[in-house]
Amino acid sequence: MSSKFRIAGNCACRGWALPNQAERSSRVYASHIIVIGAGLAGLTVSISLARGGHEVTILESAPEITYIGAGSIQVSPNASRILRELGVDAYIEKYCTEPVDLRMMSWKDGTLLVSCPLKEPAEKEYESPYWHIHRADLHRGLLEVAKAAGCKVLLNNRVVSIDPSKPSLLTKGGVTYEADLIVASDGLHSVARSVVVGEPTPPIPTGQMVYRVTLPAKELQGIPELKEIVTVPRNNHWLGPHGTVLSYLLEGVNDTLINFVFTCDAQMPEGVNQRPGNMAEVRRRFQDWDPRIVKILEHVGEVLEWRLFTHSYLQTWSHTSSKLCLIGDAAHAMTPYLAQGAAMGIEDSAILGGLLQKYPSPSDLPKTLKLYETLRKERANKVALASIDSRYYTQMEDGEAQRIRDAYLLANPGIKEGHQNIRCRKEFLDWLFGYDAFEALKGY
Ligand SMILES: Cc1cc2nc3c(=O)[nH]c(=O)nc-3n(C[C@H](O)[C@H](O)[C@H](O)COP(=O)(O)OP(=O)(O)OC[C@H]3O[C@@H](n4cnc5c(N)ncnc54)[C@H](O)[C@@H]3O)c2cc1C
């Protein structure tokens, strides 16, 4: 990570220091909050709530917190700003890579269609970095900060039912927990969502899937045509019919890693959402793409298949009791075409934590949860809709519309006002990346 954003010290946050053991044990808490799920949103909101003076217990269904296999994440400035404020950067910065730019290329021959800077505007305009990081490293960093902030993490505790009136919940092990508020960050297949909404609300398949691959970059070194891809930190996208390929570099724990996401129409058996993939099938599906992609696939041994889902807009994110609310994918699962799903969960976390710091009393919850929804729902929905548009813009079939798009991209390099491509549209990027959740809280 560049020194531009590095802040010295154990806790690199502005305005809060992680409590030491003595401070934790003598603390009088404003309220007790249960967070369901220790995913990216659950851990971030737990840190944010602990910072606001609340006692936080996290119930996670998994028996251990590990992130196995391929998977990495882009953390845009709107989210990195929050992670830095919460002190998470000190725990993850050595695993963060800052891409110079985003490049969109033609699927068949890799012709560069458009390039938009990422690192420079992140530094100069949005004043917070654009990171690429392995999910395992981000997850571990969040977990360490959550524990250091005093959050209790109870693993192997699957929540099976919720009584929003108390509020209380029951785990698979038969234990009932009570709190002043339950924050459900239980992801795409949330059990809490139907309790909030009052009817079943399953996620909606998008009809697409991804093959995810992460491997040491050195496995692709020495191949002349891949030199730039494996050495220059960029966000490379190949735009193809009904699909894209994304590649970027990551600082792994031991090695520089390279991450690939091959997006295409779903060919997975009904009812299967994730499974190890078949390399022969991936090679066949991408055999006509840029010869560099074909070359890369010769060197890949394992892929994970992942079905892509979305969710419809929810009218409410909190139960009428004002004692249960949703956050992260549980509230707004969205397609990944803009790389903003986790970023929105991180923004939710800053807003909910900030409001509950300002209005800590359980008696204020009706007002506080209303404010939370006011500040979050519209923005998250706008991003979700933009993400869907991005899918269709980047996955055109070869033909007239695609030729017009490509000619436009070639004639309009870089970021500018009114750009047809949302990833290069200045006013959209200012709105998305320039968002400061802590500023947004002022006045409420
Ligand atoms: C291919 C792909 C690429 C993506 N890339 C990006 C990107 O670059 N940038 C970005 O910002 N976003 C990205 N996203 C979106 C991002 O991954 C998600 O938005 C984010 O991980 C959601 O976090 P969450 O904490 O809300 O949910 P989850 O990560 O799903 O966490 C939910 C947690 O709750 C636990 N849980 C579930 N049910 C229960 C229960 N009943 N009891 C107890 N615990 C429970 C689960 O075990 C899990 O730990 C991408 C998504 C995909 C599919």
Side-chain angles (χ1 to χ4, degrees):
M1 182 180 138
S2 81
S3 57
K4 162 97 176 124
F5 298 110
R6 183 169 291 147
I7 306 165
N10 154 39
C11 179
C13 38
R14 289 173 271 159
W16 96 297
L18 291 171
N20 59 33
Q21 182 63 42
E23 285 164 340
R24 284 206 297 269
S25 41
S26 62
R27 189 171 261 187
V28 178
Y29 293 104
S31 72
H32 178 216
I33 300 175
I34 292 180
V35 172
I36 310 176
L40 298 178
L43 290 172
T44 311
V45 77
S46 298
I47 298 165
S48 184
L49 293 167
R51 179 198 200 207
H54 301 277
E55 182 182 10
V56 179
T57 305
I58 308 171
L59 297 179
E60 164 59 49
S61 57
E64 55 180 327
I65 298 199
T66 48
Y67 199 92
I68 302 159
S72 61
I73 194 144
Q74 304 175 49
V75 181
S76 51
N78 45 319
S80 69
R81 182 174 293 114
I82 294 164
L83 297 180
R84 290 166 63 230
E85 174 81 20
L86 296 179
V88 181
D89 55 340
Y91 292 75
I92 62 170
E93 61 182 4
K94 62 176 181 238
Y95 309 115
C96 293
T97 304
E98 291 177 70
V100 183
D101 56 8
L102 171 145
R103 287 159 43 111
M104 290 183 162
M105 295 170 279
S106 165
W107 70 283
K108 213 166 172 68
D109 60 7
T111 302
L112 178 63
L113 299 172
V114 75
S115 150
C116 307
L118 286 173
K119 187 169 183 331
E120 194 181 300
E123 282 181 359
K124 292 199 175 138
E125 290 177 52
Y126 309 126
E127 299 183 340
S128 205
Y130 197 110
W131 287 326
H132 289 161
I133 181 168
H134 198 287
R135 281 173 188 259
D137 298 324
L138 176 56
H139 220 135
R140 194 177 52 246
L142 286 167
L143 184 64
E144 282 174 28
V145 179
K147 284 183 174 167
C151 303
K152 267 191 227 110
V153 186
L154 304 181
L155 300 175
N156 215 357
N157 268 278
R158 174 171 291 283
V159 173
V160 290
S161 66
I162 301 170
D163 176 349
S165 61
K166 283 192 169 146
S168 67
L169 50 77
L170 177 69
T171 65
K172 196 176 170 198
V175 182
T176 301
Y177 292 89
E178 284 193 30
D180 295 301
L181 172 68
I182 296 174
V183 177
S185 52
D186 51 345
L188 185 64
H189 302 278
S190 168
V191 292
R193 188 167 48 221
S194 54
V195 179
V196 167
V197 176
E199 59 185 11
T201 59
I204 306 160
T206 62
Q208 290 215 297
M209 63 179 286
V210 292
Y211 296 98
R212 300 170 102 167
V213 174
T214 307
L215 70 160
K218 65 181 179 215
E219 292 188 16
L220 299 178
Q221 266 155 15
I223 303 169
E225 61 269 42
L226 300 184
K227 186 168 177 212
E228 189 178 312
I229 293 171
V230 296
T231 53
V232 184
R234 297 201 134 112
N235 196 299
N236 293 308
H237 290 251
W238 284 261
L239 313 188
H242 302 276
T244 57
V245 176
L246 165 65
S247 93
Y248 55 80
L249 293 170
L250 301 166
E251 274 324 307
V253 174
N254 301 315
D255 267 322
T256 298
L257 303 172
I258 188 155
N259 178 68
F260 296 99
V261 183
F262 300 84
T263 304
C264 48
D265 288 343
Q267 287 183 2
M268 293 173 80
E270 200 60 36
V272 176
N273 295 333
Q274 285 163 26
R275 63 172 185 179
N278 174 333
M279 271 319 300
E281 184 184 294
V282 191
R283 290 188 188 113
R284 179 186 55 73
R285 294 191 74 177
F286 289 87
Q287 66 189 356
D288 297 326
W289 286 54
D290 182 343
R292 290 176 298 173
I293 289 172
V294 176
K295 179 62 83 184
I296 288 162
L297 285 172
E298 283 172 14
H299 291 262
V300 172
E302 285 177 7
V303 288
L304 277 180
E305 293 183 10
W306 216 277
R307 193 187 293 280
L308 297 180
F309 288 90
T310 185
H311 207 282
S312 48
Y313 176 75
L314 294 185
Q315 293 302 331
T316 181
W317 290 6
S318 55
H319 188 266
T320 47
S321 66
S322 301
K323 292 175 183 173
L324 167 68
C325 68
L326 306 174
I327 196 165
D329 274 17
H332 49 62
M334 62 183 70
T335 60
Y337 309 106
L338 269 190
Q340 281 295 316
M344 288 301 112
I346 291 169
E347 287 187 5
D348 299 340
S349 303
I351 295 291
L352 185 62
L355 288 171
L356 285 165
Q357 181 168 18
K358 210 160 180 180
Y359 305 108
S361 165
S363 63
D364 286 328
L365 279 171
K367 178 177 78 180
T368 310
L369 295 185
K370 277 264 162 317
L371 279 177
Y372 165 59
E373 293 194 36
T374 303
L375 283 166
R376 294 303 308 150
K377 267 173 44 188
E378 200 190 314
R379 179 171 164 87
N381 190 47
K382 192 170 161 183
V383 173
L385 294 176
S387 178
I388 292 169
D389 287 349
S390 193
R391 165 180 176 180
Y392 295 106
Y393 189 75
T394 56
Q395 298 191 22
M396 289 179 189
E397 279 182 22
D398 285 357
E400 185 61 8
Q402 163 269 326
R403 279 192 292 277
I404 292 171
R405 179 200 67 190
D406 289 0
Y408 176 88
L409 292 177
L410 286 164
N412 292 277
I415 297 172
K416 68 170 201 179
E417 296 277 339
H419 203 290
Q420 205 182 70
N421 177 8
I422 204 162
R423 306 295 294 263
C424 306
R425 193 178 304 153
K426 172 95 174 94
E427 62 275 25
F428 179 76
L429 298 179
D430 286 352
W431 174 83
L432 184 63
F433 297 163
Y435 179 77
D436 184 335
F438 302 99
E439 278 298 316
L441 280 165
K442 289 187 181 155
Y444 284 94

